[in-house]
């Protein structure tokens, strides 16, 4: 009876914690940056994000370089904005503020950057501290049975590192994409070692067996993190 009571108590606490957390959102831009404009773009973004206006933005911001892809996109970089809640995006689309650094960033983007795709999404299973990892692989998924997939994902995640992520696509995703499966590590070597360990454990095979017929991988990307800003947002 004590064990049952303890289990129910822990479950109640967990549900309360989950309900107390606001739903977060992100907007990621896949962009193509001219070869000769990559250094000016990073410098302009760095100057803006380290300015007072940039530090007051309600987002954690990451800039990554595309390292691997089997998609049909020619994008070279991904720029992501992660907000704590829906209110973080109330002023989305207004562009950089008219400060010196903001105008310099706007002019640099106008000259060197082409926007290929902008996706709005939301984390379902996500730890913001994972954003500090330098290497990330994203699998774009078409999930036809979200409940079965999510339950299998949680079991798989708990049986392995516990650091895998699941995100839902809301607006702007490529045709068929409903979710994103994400794996991050400190570098490519560590990511490959982690991949080997997951397959050797048998957890991957079990996961694939459970989700068979409920999800398909459409394409994937590998990213190297270049810069991250306002990383304390969402960690409290």
């Amino acid at each position: 009876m004590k064990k049952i009571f303890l289990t129910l108590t822990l479950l109640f606490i967990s549900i309360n914690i989950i309900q107390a957390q606001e739903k977060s959102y992100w907007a990621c831009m896949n962009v193509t940056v001219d070869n000769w404009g990559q250094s000016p773009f990073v410098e302009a973004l760095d100057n803006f994000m380290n300015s007072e206006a940039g530090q007051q933005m309600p987002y954690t911001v990451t800039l990554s370089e595309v390292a691997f892809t089997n998609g049909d996109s020619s994008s070279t970089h991904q720029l992501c904005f992660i907000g704590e809640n829906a209110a973080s995006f109330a002023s989305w689309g207004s562009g950089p503020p008219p400060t010196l650094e903001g105008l310099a960033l706007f002019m640099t983007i106008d000259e060197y950057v082409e926007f290929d795709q902008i996706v709005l999404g939301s984390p379902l299973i996500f730890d913001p501290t994972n954003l500090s990892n330098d290497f990330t692989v994203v699998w774009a998924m078409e999930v036809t049975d979200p409940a079965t997939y999510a339950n299998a994902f949680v079991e798989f995640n708990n049986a392995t590192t516990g650091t895998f992520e699941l995100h839902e696509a809301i607006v702007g995703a490529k045709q068929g994409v409903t979710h994103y499966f994400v794996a991050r590590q400190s570098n490519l070597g560590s990511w490959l070692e982690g991949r080997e360990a997951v397959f050797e454990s048998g957890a991957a095979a079990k996961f694939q067996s459970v989700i068979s017929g409920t999800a398909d991988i459409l394409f994937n990307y590998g990213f190297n993190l270049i810069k991250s800003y306002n990383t304390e947002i969402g960690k409290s």
Side-chain angles (χ1 to χ4, degrees):
M1 180 63 71
K2 289 183 179 179
K3 289 183 178 180
I4 295 175
F5 178 76
L6 178 61
T7 300
L8 291 174
T9 301
L10 291 174
L11 178 61
F12 178 75
I13 292 172
S14 298
I15 291 173
N16 281 344
I17 291 173
I18 292 171
Q19 291 178 337
Q21 293 175 341
E22 291 188 271
K23 185 173 179 62
S24 59
Y25 295 89
W26 50 257
C28 285
M29 305 175 175
N30 293 329
V31 301
T32 299
V33 184
D34 292 340
N35 288 333
W36 52 89
Q38 294 187 13
S39 293
F41 172 55
V42 173
E43 182 179 357
L45 179 65
D46 209 39
N47 289 338
F48 170 70
M49 290 305 305
N50 287 317
S51 70
E52 183 177 355
Q55 292 174 6
Q56 290 178 351
M57 293 184 72
Y59 316 109
T60 294
V61 180
T62 63
L63 176 65
S64 301
E65 183 179 21
V66 176
F68 304 99
T69 178
N70 67 351
D72 57 2
S73 173
S74 60
S75 299
T76 60
H77 294 75
Q78 185 178 77
L79 182 63
C80 288
F81 300 81
I82 303 97
E84 284 187 285
N85 49 43
S88 302
F89 289 87
S91 300
W92 179 260
S94 59
T99 62
L100 182 63
E101 296 85 2
L103 292 173
L105 176 59
F106 179 83
M107 293 174 62
T108 303
I109 290 175
D110 187 56
E111 183 174 0
Y112 297 115
V113 180
E114 180 179 345
F115 291 86
D116 303 320
Q117 182 187 24
I118 304 177
V119 181
L120 176 67
S122 178
L124 299 176
I125 299 172
F126 171 65
D127 181 354
T129 61
N130 286 341
L131 293 173
S132 62
N133 285 300
D134 288 337
F135 184 75
T136 300
V137 173
V138 178
W139 289 268
M141 311 290 302
E142 182 178 16
V143 179
T144 55
D145 186 346
T148 297
Y149 188 88
N151 288 335
F153 180 92
V154 170
E155 184 176 346
F156 166 76
N157 202 25
N158 291 339
T160 55
T161 64
T163 59
F164 291 103
E165 303 169 18
L166 183 63
H167 301 254
E168 64 172 331
I170 299 176
V171 179
K174 290 186 177 181
Q175 185 174 359
V177 176
T178 62
H179 294 77
Y180 299 95
F181 183 115
V182 180
R184 306 180 196 264
Q185 263 294 354
S186 56
N187 55 64
L188 176 56
S190 296
W191 186 89
L192 290 171
E193 291 172 354
R195 178 180 181 273
E196 293 171 4
V198 168
F199 277 99
E200 290 173 359
S201 71
K206 183 178 179 181
F207 179 55
Q208 289 293 337
S209 176
V210 174
I211 67 169
S212 178
T214 69
D216 291 308
I217 298 174
L218 301 183
F219 57 88
N220 54 34
Y221 287 93
F223 297 98
N224 287 319
L225 181 67
I226 298 176
K227 293 282 185 176
S228 59
Y229 309 94
N230 299 345
T231 55
E232 293 305 312
I233 293 178
K235 289 185 179 181
S236 58

